[in-house]
């Protein structure tokens, strides 16, 4: 037995210090010990964002023992994570924390990075190494990707407190995770602007001055008519977005020196919709909260209110495929606009500073149609009246055809074009002869895009090539052809040395994505290479990937995508000059993608079917909703008939010339969208003219329903009623239950408003019978609720038929899921009105989803049915906070009342009864202004 030895307190402290610094210490003393191989794997992966298990070789060589150790490590210490390179592994958070606390030394952590091959896509590893070596750029200067990596490393070490403290003592300084999150939020605003502004910006001083004159002028206007916005417009590549980005960065983009608040809103984002202007208001509010932290709470409250109202509006829109748009500038919109104006004044600290909204890529908004742009314009007009210091700058390809201060953009002035080219080449280390550069600018013009392409072509020749007279003449000759931008790219293709690559590079534009497999299976044969091996396909893929002028690589994937400007410039010429080659590639691509699953594969298959102009019936068989997000940018590349088809699927407007070439079904779908928008906008006469414009008459049943609605809206009740009967007969003959239901319910509403209650009940009874072949309960309930309304309004709600129907509707309503109710707000309102007294939960949920409007029919009913004591009970029980400055929206009010009712208050029954009557007042409001009926029942 070992002899016991006494030690001093100082010696004990020294020993404890050694233990604290040694490998044996962990933050969690209960953590199980692991063997040396497993520990080696933990070390190797502790600073990796993700990894492939096959890349790990730490601690053991190949063999059965090594495979088992790796398998144990992956299963017990790691978790799956999705990356751009596919599914990978990463160290689980608890194991990472323990490992970091055990290592907690700069040099030891740096040593771990040498144990696994570097992965350029692993931004977490890159930023961890940068901080450990003291070479990380200041967080204010980091890109969005770098900030994302910094945040992850800060979170890792923030959880490993001992490692954080030890590294700080060694001079490793990391920003706090919350500070990085704030910078990431700001980077989402500024990084797109910096990308747009680019590294080379010359000239445009006149245009910048025109924007400044408008934005920075004192005072404001009470509406867009008194203070017309700026509209920058010009062809693609001329520098519209670059101009507005440069202005923002120079005048409002420097934190701490920001001259005025702004919001950058680009319609490239699919969630910003001109037909729903509140989408823009929500994003503008969000950005102001990020830019001005002192007002973040106020901005957050407002953003929540805007998005709640948006949610309700969107539910109304998606309730039916062609559901009506909510009224623009209703009471809620006006309240939200007023509160946004208050936020704008708050971020300006009540100084008379302009608030600039930049609306970029407006051509994408214009695709939604004139009605959508009208809604956007009306909204901005209301915002201008609420906040006279508002300034709006549009940037798009075509004029707005509205009262604006137009700034048309064309090419640069000759001396500025020369400066652009000189600066761009200097950035590549090339100093060219001034006379040569002047010749280039004279030959190609002064479009920034053309100049950029010319510079890329010159850079390919290199400085030595520029000293060769023949090379100089060759470049100038190439730049002198017509269709400059397309020709420049074709000349670049001609310079490719590898003959096989040259043969596939131009036809390859037919594909939106290129992989080695697509080169082998789709491009090789049509491009004249015959059948090639996988090895040859990979070789060509590698060569093409090096052509940065033509393609961009998709991070983490063996995928190349053609540069957008390449496709825009050359794809039309490719289709014109090599139609059969292109069609062959499209057909082969369809076969290739048909063999794969997933939204991306379906979208690419659909793209090639659309490019071939396949029939609507064929496209319908292959359509998947998830494809929409991948196909939005392809619209302008397609033939007219396919443009019409895709426009319907994307719910956007289409050019009238394209519409004329569409097949019958595609035409009908687009006309339905347009007519629906016109009816919602109160333009029934224009909608009727559009519906009846197709030569040969209209036999499409859904368009017949819109025609009936247009006639009813115009007061033509006799004609509408006659068309109802004709359409029902035709739908019945064809077994079209959906159309029969649509038209029967619509015809019943017309009859109800004419006072022909027996006719309305008969149509609704037929509609309910038709739902026997329609899946789900929603249509049956909608017709049933309408029948109950007619029974009530006609005074026959106590008849045996009405009582039995009421029982059945209550039973079905109670079976509805919360999601079903939320997805059908109009049905929910009808249920609350007709059976809310039997199912009080419907009333509470209707208040939450639909809001409580204190004006109109609902507000008047509540005012006369609720007593002062009822209102006082609500205020006492709910302990509501004072309304937001500027007023509360119906959604905010509805949420408060719903929460009150859910608490089963003493006066709850009275409130429920009052709300049922209020909802009845709403659903009884006339849909059509039919005037004196042609025939009414006694």
């Amino acid at each position: 037995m070992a002899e016991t030895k006494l030690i001093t307190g100082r010696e004990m402290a020294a020993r404890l210090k050694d233990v604290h610094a040694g490998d044996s210490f962990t933050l969690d003393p209960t953590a199980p010990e692991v063997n040396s191989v497993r520990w080696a794997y933990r070390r190797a992966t502790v600073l990796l964002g993700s990894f492939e298990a096959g890349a790990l070789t730490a601690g053991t060589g190949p063999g059965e023992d090594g495979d088992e150790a790796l398998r144990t490590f992956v299963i017990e210490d790691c978790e799956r994570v999705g990356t751009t390179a596919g599914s990978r592994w990463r160290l689980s958070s608890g194991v990472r924390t323990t490992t970091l606390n055990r290592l907690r030394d700069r040099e030891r952590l740096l040593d771990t990075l040498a144990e696994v091959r570097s992965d350029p896509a692993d931004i977490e590893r890159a930023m961890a190494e940068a901080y450990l070596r003291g070479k990380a750029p200041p967080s204010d200067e980091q890109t969005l990707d770098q900030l994302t990596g910094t945040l992850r490393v800060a979170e890792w070490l923030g959880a490993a407190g001992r490692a954080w403290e030890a590294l700080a003592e060694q001079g490793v300084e990391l920003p706090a995770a919350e500070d990085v999150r704030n910078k990431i939020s700001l980077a989402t605003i500024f990084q797109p602007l910096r990308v747009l502004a680019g590294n080379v910006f010359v000239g445009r001083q006149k245009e910048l001055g025109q924007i400044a004159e408008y934005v920075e002028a004192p005072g404001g206007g009470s509406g867009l008519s008194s203070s017309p916005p700026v509209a920058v417009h010009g062809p693609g590549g001329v520098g519209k977005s670059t101009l507005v980005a440069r202005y923002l960065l120079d005048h409002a983009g420097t934190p701490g020196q920001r001259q005025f608040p702004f919001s950058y809103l680009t319609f490239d984002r699919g969630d910003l919709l001109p037909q729903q202007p509140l989408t823009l208001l929500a994003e503008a509010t969000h950005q102001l909260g990020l830019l001005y932290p002192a007002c973040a709470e106020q901005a957050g409250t407002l953003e929540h209110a805007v998005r709640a109202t948006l949610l309700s509006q969107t539910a109304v829109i998606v309730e039916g495929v062609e559901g009506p748009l909510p009224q623009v500038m209703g009471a809620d919109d006006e309240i939200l606009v007023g509160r946004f104006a208050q936020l704008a004044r708050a971020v300006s600290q009540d100084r008379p500073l302009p608030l600039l909204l930049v609306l970029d890529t407006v051509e994408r908004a214009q695709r939604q149609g004139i009605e959508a742009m009208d809604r956007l314009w009306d909204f901005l007009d209301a915002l201008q009246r609420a906040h006279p210091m508002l300034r709006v700058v549009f940037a798009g390809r075509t004029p707005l055809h509205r009262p604006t201060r137009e700034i048309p953009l064309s090419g640069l002035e000759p001396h500025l074009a020369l400066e652009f080219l000189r600066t761009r080449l200097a950035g590549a280390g090339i100093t060219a002869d001034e006379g040569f550069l002047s010749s280039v600018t004279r030959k190609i013009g002064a479009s920034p895009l053309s100049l950029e392409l010319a510079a890329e072509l010159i850079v390919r020749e290199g400085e030595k090539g520029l000293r060769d007279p023949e090379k100089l003449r060759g470049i100038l000759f190439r730049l002198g052809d017509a269709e400059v931008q397309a020709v420049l790219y074709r000349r670049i293709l001609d310079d490719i040395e590898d003959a096989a690559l040259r043969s596939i590079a131009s036809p390859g534009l037919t594909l939106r994505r290129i992989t080695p497999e697509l080169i082998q299976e789709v491009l090789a044969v049509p491009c004249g290479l015959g059948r090639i091996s996988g090895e040859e396909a990979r070789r060509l893929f590698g060569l093409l990937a090096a052509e940065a002028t033509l393609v961009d690589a998709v991070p983490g994937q063996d995928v190349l995508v053609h540069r957008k400007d390449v496709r825009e410039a050359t794809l039309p010429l490719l289709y014109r000059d090599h139609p059969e080659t292109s069609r062959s590639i499209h057909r082969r691509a369809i076969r290739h993608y048909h063999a794969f699953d997933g939204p991306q594969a379906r979208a690419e298959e659909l793209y090639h079917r659309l490019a071939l102009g396949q029939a609507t019936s064929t496209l319908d068989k292959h359509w998947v909703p998830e494809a929409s997000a991948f196909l939005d940018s392809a619209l302008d590349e397609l033939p007219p008939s396919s443009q019409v088809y895709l426009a319907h699927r994307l719910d956007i407007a289409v050019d009238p010339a394209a519409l004329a070439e569409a097949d019958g079904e595609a035409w009908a779908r687009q006309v339905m969208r347009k007519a629906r928008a016109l009816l919602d906008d109160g333009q029934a006469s224009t909608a009727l003219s559009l519906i009846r414009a197709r030569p040969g008459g209209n036999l499409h049943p859904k368009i017949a329903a819109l025609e009936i609605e247009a006639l009813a809206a115009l007061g033509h009740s006799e004609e509408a009623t006659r068309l109802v009967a004709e359409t029902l007969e035709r739908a019945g003959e064809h077994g079209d239950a959906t159309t029969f239901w649509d038209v029967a319910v619509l015809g019943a509403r017309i009859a109800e408003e004419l006072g022909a209650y027996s006719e309305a009940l008969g149509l609704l009874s037929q509609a309910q019978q038709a739902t026997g072949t329609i899946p789900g309960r929603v249509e049956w309930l909608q017709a049933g609720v309408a029948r109950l309304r007619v029974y009530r309004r006609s005074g026959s709600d106590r008849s045996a038929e009405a009582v039995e129907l009421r029982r059945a509707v209550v039973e079905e309503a109670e079976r509805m899921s919360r999601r079903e109710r939320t997805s059908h707000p109009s049905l929910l309102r009808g249920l609350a009105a007709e059976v809310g007294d039997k199912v009080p939960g419907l009333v509470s949920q209707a208040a939450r989803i639909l809001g409580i409007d204190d004006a109109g029919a609902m507000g008047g009913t509540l005012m006369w049915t609720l007593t002062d004591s009822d209102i006082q009970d609500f205020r006492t029980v709910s302990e509501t906070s004072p309304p937001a400055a500027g007023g509360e929206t119906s959604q905010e009010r509805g949420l408060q009342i719903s929460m009150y009712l859910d608490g089963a208050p003493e006066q709850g029954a009275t409130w429920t009864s009052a709300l049922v009557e209020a909802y009845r007042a709403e659903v009884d409001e006339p849909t059509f202004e039919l005037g004196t009926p042609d025939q009414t029942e006694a």
Side-chain angles (χ1 to χ4, degrees), residues 105-126:
D105 177 81
R106 180 208 296 260
E107 296 303 324
R108 295 168 73 188
L109 286 168
L110 282 171
D111 288 344
T112 69
L113 296 175
E115 298 177 15
V116 179
R117 185 177 64 253
S118 178
D119 179 359
D122 192 343
I123 189 63
E124 291 93 341
R125 171 183 178 145

Side-chain angles (χ1 to χ4, degrees), residues 218-289:
S222 56
L224 296 182
S225 59
S226 61
S227 182
V230 162
V232 181
H233 59 85
V238 80
K240 304 175 295 294
S241 297
T242 299
L243 176 68
V244 295
R246 186 73 271 155
Y247 179 81
L248 281 176
L249 290 173
D250 289 346
H251 294 80
T254 305
Q257 300 179 11
R258 198 162 290 121
Q259 297 178 24
F260 49 78
F262 75 95
S263 180
Y264 175 73
L265 307 167
T266 173
F267 288 105
D268 271 336
R269 287 181 44 168
D271 59 333
L272 300 184
L273 306 171
Q275 67 270 35
Q276 284 187 273
L278 286 186
T279 57
L280 279 75
L281 191 71
E283 177 59 22
T285 301
H286 178 70
Q287 292 186 19
L288 289 180

Side-chain angles (χ1 to χ4, degrees), residues 358-369:
V358 172
L359 279 60
D360 201 2
T361 58
V362 179
E363 65 272 8
R364 295 180 70 86
Q366 290 172 309
R367 283 183 179 177
Q368 302 291 337

Side-chain angles (χ1 to χ4, degrees), residues 197 200-214 216 232 238-239 242-244 246-247 250-251 407-413 415-417 419:
V200 180
F201 184 88
V202 299
R204 303 298 194 199
Q205 296 307 307
K206 175 185 175 183
E207 290 83 358
L208 288 171
Q210 288 175 298
I211 296 175
E213 181 181 359
Y214 162 66
E216 299 164 36
V232 181
V238 80
T242 299
L243 176 68
V244 295
R246 186 73 271 155
Y247 179 81
D250 289 346
H251 294 80
I407 302 180
L409 281 192
S410 56
L412 296 169
E413 297 176 19
H415 71 283
L416 295 174
E419 182 182 346

Side-chain angles (χ1 to χ4, degrees), residues 694-935:
R694 185 78 164 184
N698 162 49
L699 296 176
H700 196 285
K702 282 190 175 294
I703 292 186
L706 290 171
E707 185 174 358
I708 292 166
E709 185 176 341
L711 289 168
L714 292 169
H716 302 327
S717 54
E718 284 188 3
E719 192 175 357
T721 302
R722 183 170 60 252
L723 187 55
V724 166
E726 293 173 0
T727 308
L728 288 177
E729 182 178 357
R730 191 161 61 241
E733 291 174 353
H734 290 85
D736 187 351
T738 301
T739 298
F740 190 97
W741 183 91
D742 286 339
V743 175
V745 171
L746 177 58
R749 187 72 198 201
I750 294 171
E752 177 187 349
E753 295 190 8
L754 288 170
Y757 295 128
S758 294
E759 182 182 344
L761 288 170
L763 287 169
L764 289 169
S765 179
Q766 293 179 64
Q768 279 194 293
Q769 292 173 19
T771 61
T773 59
I774 300 175
R777 63 171 63 91
V778 170
E779 285 79 7
W780 186 92
L781 274 171
Q782 287 174 326
V785 164
R787 282 180 68 193
L788 288 177
R789 184 183 66 246
V790 177
Y791 278 130
R792 174 174 55 78
R793 295 186 69 185
S794 65
S796 54
D797 52 330
R798 295 188 180 181
S799 65
E801 294 87 352
V803 171
E804 174 58 24
L805 176 62
R806 184 178 174 85
R807 182 201 61 76
V809 168
V810 167
E811 186 176 306
E812 286 298 313
E814 289 179 327
R815 291 176 180 170
M816 289 182 76
S817 67
R818 184 177 185 86
R819 183 174 182 179
E820 281 181 306
R821 295 177 182 179
T822 302
S823 301
H824 298 88
S826 297
L827 173 58
L828 181 59
R829 176 185 277 111
L831 287 168
E834 306 307 332
V835 299
D837 53 342
K838 297 295 185 182
V839 190
L842 290 169
V843 178
S844 171
Q845 193 170 3
R848 182 182 296 265
I849 293 171
L850 297 163
I852 299 294
D853 185 5
D854 61 1
M858 170 169 274
T861 302
L862 291 176
M863 182 177 68
W864 288 106
T865 53
L866 292 172
T867 66
D868 290 343
S869 64
D870 296 329
I871 295 172
Q872 183 58 43
D873 185 63
F874 163 68
R875 290 175 177 169
T876 301
V877 172
S878 59
E879 297 180 350
T880 56
S881 56
E888 62 184 359
T889 65
S890 62
Q891 263 61 43
E892 291 171 316
R893 194 179 305 112
L895 176 60
Q896 293 175 2
I897 291 174
S898 177
M899 294 172 65
Y900 166 75
L901 293 176
D902 291 344
E906 184 177 340
Q907 304 291 89
T910 304
W911 269 89
T912 297
S913 178
L915 286 167
V916 167
E917 291 300 321
Y919 285 126
R920 287 179 176 178
E922 279 196 335
V923 300
D924 289 350
E925 288 281 289
T927 303
F928 308 111
E929 298 295 335
L930 293 173
T932 303
D934 302 305
Q935 289 184 339

